[in-house]
Amino acid sequence: MKRNAILILIFVINYSCTNISSVKNKHLNISYAGDSKSQKMDIFIPEGDGPFPAVILIHGGGFKFGDKKSEYTLAKTLLDRGYVTIAVNYRLSGEAVFPSAVHDIKAAIRFTKANAKKYFIDPEKIGTWGSSAGGNLSAMMGTSAGVDFLDGHIGEYDNYSTRIQACVNWFGPINFATMIGEARNLGFKESFDVSVESKYMGTEASDPANDSLVQKANPTTYIDQNDPPFFIQAGNKDPLIPYTQSQNFANALLKALGPDKVYFELIEGGKHGGSKFTDDKNLEKVIAFLDKHLK
């Protein structure tokens, strides 16, 4: 089975069935920018007066498919711990190529800050959390605040900063140009390719001739000492994204930010998502990180 088909299968398996309809204070399919029907978010607010810290959840799916509803399980978990939780959709690669998805998430951050009072949010306590392709986008939010090419200038709130205060990246692809080589070094099948990343980029991601563009989608490119704390996890048995992508990114962050602001864990036996990431014990690690930096 090709990698693209496996990504689709994993998304279908992991698609959330959590019943979040019982949440009283929720706002569904809110438009955060007017360029596309894809630019929608669901906002879930805890009981109480706030203001609350907020976490923006970014779904995976190879930049090609997926939906914000797949994040409802994590949304409910965070909601119960006192976070306004925002599950966001963005333009997928079949609609628009890089940097459109980055522009969308940044527009969602600006919308969140501009409407913080309405949704009981502390605008100085906002984090992002994504897995797989969503992990790449979350990491981009962490390192590229203020990069004009990536800000997008869409939506009504261009005067707001896209800087966040905490970033969670679960097994996101980081450097598309080196993925095939890293996969070979880890013993992946010869058929491994970067077709979904190439579709996202609008060009062949593994071609050295395209490296200048590809590196603009690499969050490592933008690392500096002003970046927020990072929480990064990857599975050492991930069959779809070489774990060295996360490892190398974490090492680059460590050089700039130091060990107090970067947590990296290689999960023994972990694959591309699954219970080793989402069991209660591991979720407590992520929430402890968020609590430390957002509360």
Side-chain angles (χ1 to χ4, degrees):
M1 185 181 293
K2 290 187 176 180
R3 177 170 175 254
N4 185 39
I6 296 172
L7 278 164
I8 295 172
L9 179 61
I10 286 177
F11 174 76
V12 171
I13 291 172
N14 288 340
Y15 195 89
S16 172
C17 296
T18 296
N19 182 0
I20 203 166
S21 61
S22 61
V23 176
K24 295 179 181 179
N25 198 352
K26 58 181 179 291
H27 305 265
L28 305 181
N29 291 316
I30 303 300
S31 177
Y32 60 81
D35 292 0
S36 167
K37 64 181 181 181
S38 302
Q39 295 163 333
K40 300 288 180 66
M41 59 168 60
D42 296 340
I43 305 171
F44 302 95
I45 303 171
E47 294 184 12
D49 297 329
F52 304 102
V55 176
I56 297 174
L57 296 172
I58 311 168
H59 70 77
F63 307 101
K64 185 177 181 180
F65 50 89
D67 187 85
K68 53 188 166 56
K69 291 182 180 179
S70 67
E71 300 304 311
Y72 277 10
T73 297
L74 289 182
K76 187 63 166 62
T77 299
L78 287 166
L79 187 70
D80 291 343
R81 301 297 288 266
Y83 288 88
V84 173
T85 310
I86 302 167
V88 63
N89 273 350
Y90 51 91
R91 285 173 289 176
L92 301 173
S93 59
E95 179 181 358
V97 299
F98 174 83
S100 294
V102 176
H103 290 172
D104 288 354
I105 306 302
K106 285 179 175 281
I109 292 172
R110 292 194 294 265
F111 177 94
T112 299
K113 291 184 176 183
N115 293 278
K117 186 174 181 180
K118 178 179 180 179
Y119 298 114
F120 301 89
I121 293 169
D122 182 342
E124 300 301 321
K125 299 291 185 180
I126 295 174
T128 60
W129 183 352
S131 59
S132 196
N136 169 275
L137 293 171
S138 181
M140 290 290 284
M141 297 307 108
T143 64
S144 69
V147 177
D148 189 69
F149 169 71
L150 296 175
D151 274 349
H153 309 293
I154 59 175
E156 300 179 8
Y157 305 107
D158 199 36
N159 56 320
Y160 283 82
S161 167
T162 61
R163 190 168 298 280
I164 58 173
Q165 286 69 54
C167 184
V168 180
N169 165 22
W170 271 355
F171 47 89
I174 299 295
N175 187 348
F176 307 156
T178 62
M179 283 181 68
I180 291 177
E182 291 177 47
R184 297 287 182 271
N185 289 338
L186 292 176
F188 279 46
K189 293 180 179 180
E190 288 295 319
S191 59
F192 180 88
D193 62 35
V194 288
S195 57
V196 293
E197 290 81 10
S198 295
K199 185 172 178 62
Y200 170 62
M201 295 304 303
T203 191
E204 177 51 57
S206 61
D207 187 340
N210 299 323
D211 193 58
S212 177
L213 175 62
V214 171
Q215 293 313 314
K216 291 181 179 179
N218 179 353
T220 312
T221 300
Y222 309 102
I223 292 173
D224 65 36
Q225 294 180 344
N226 296 315
D227 292 340
F230 271 78
F231 183 102
I232 303 168
Q233 289 182 318
N236 73 332
K237 299 297 183 182
D238 190 329
L240 298 179
I241 297 175
Y243 68 78
T244 48
Q245 291 270 300
S246 293
Q247 193 172 57
N248 293 338
F249 180 52
N251 286 338
L253 285 166
L254 279 167
K255 290 179 181 179
L257 302 180
D260 291 339
K261 293 181 67 176
V262 182
Y263 176 90
F264 171 70
E265 182 179 8
L266 187 61
I267 295 181
E268 184 67 29
K271 298 184 179 181
H272 197 71
S275 61
K276 286 185 178 291
F277 290 89
T278 59
D279 65 23
D280 290 343
K281 182 179 179 180
N282 195 60
L283 288 178
E284 282 299 322
K285 294 179 184 179
V286 186
I287 292 169
F289 165 83
L290 294 171
D291 285 350
K292 177 180 179 180
H293 298 291
L294 298 181
K295 288 187 175 181

